[in-house]
Amino acid sequence: MTSTATDSATSLFKVIETGDPALAAAVVGADFHNREAYNSPVACAIPGPAGVLASSAWMRSAYSDLRFPILSTGVDDERGQVFVRLRMQGRHTGPFVLFRDGKLDKVVPPTGRELDYEHIHVLTVRDGKVVEHEAVRDDMTMLGQLGVFPPTPAMAARLAGWKLTGRDRRAAATVSTLSAEAAATAAPHRAA
């Protein structure tokens, strides 16, 4: 594997930060599969650049100034994999909607809090394009930084309030629409 594989792998996170369809077409394979899409809107599981663009819209709807500073990378030539250690950073300014089996699971209402925690991603790269993604994230740290775990009485009341008023369902519908619209922007770039 060359540095092109590492460049493609790290560029995947630029796509998440920016939602750039041209960059997605350049670095994401048509058969891309995201093993982590199980808790995101349905459009995030679409193969290829469309699913990555949907994931970008989903994440950027919850976190402003979203960025992924790369800490280190490694390559397994035999398996065609690139390992990326990074930090996820941003401010939680929109509802963070989580799904399970395509249905609303839970919503974390915006907290305005800064998020900064570590991930490790394993990306399979073939012919210079990312074709598979899986990750190991420290979600407990994320939830702690958002003030959700352990929940304070105020946060528990906010979570319940969003559920009782239907704001959680409206947020899920909105983010699902945003993700589907972002996925549709991949279509003109498929031939690239």
Side-chain angles (χ1 to χ4, degrees), residues 52-100:
V52 175
L53 292 167
S55 294
S56 172
W58 170 56
M59 295 300 295
R60 289 182 301 117
S61 74
Y63 302 104
S64 59
D65 195 25
L66 183 64
R67 57 206 179 280
F68 296 93
I70 307 297
L71 301 175
S72 62
T73 60
V75 175
D76 179 341
D77 287 321
E78 251 181 65
R79 293 187 176 158
Q81 294 179 322
V82 177
F83 303 90
V84 180
R85 188 172 145 250
L86 54 73
R87 299 197 72 77
M88 179 179 159
Q89 301 171 333
R91 181 176 295 277
H92 182 217
T93 54
F96 183 44
V97 183
L98 296 167
F99 297 81
R100 182 176 298 167

Side-chain angles (χ1 to χ4, degrees), residues 100-188:
R100 182 176 298 167
D101 299 324
K103 296 184 183 347
L104 172 63
D105 185 25
K106 62 183 133 239
V107 174
V108 179
T111 62
R113 292 180 176 211
E114 286 290 329
L115 188 68
D116 183 0
Y117 74 110
E118 199 167 309
H119 296 194
I120 296 174
H121 296 262
V122 181
L123 304 161
T124 303
V125 179
R126 187 172 54 244
D127 299 325
K129 293 196 176 198
V130 180
V131 296
E132 188 171 50
H133 167 261
E134 55 189 309
V136 178
R137 300 178 311 262
D138 184 0
D139 289 344
M140 295 307 283
T141 294
M142 176 193 67
L143 294 172
Q145 289 178 359
L146 296 179
V148 176
F149 186 81
T152 63
M155 179 52 80
R158 282 190 76 206
L159 293 168
W162 272 60
K163 192 170 190 80
L164 290 172
T165 63
R167 286 182 80 183
D168 64 341
R169 291 183 303 282
R170 290 190 298 277
T174 298
V175 77
S176 292
T177 298
L178 286 172
S179 295
E181 289 170 352
T185 67

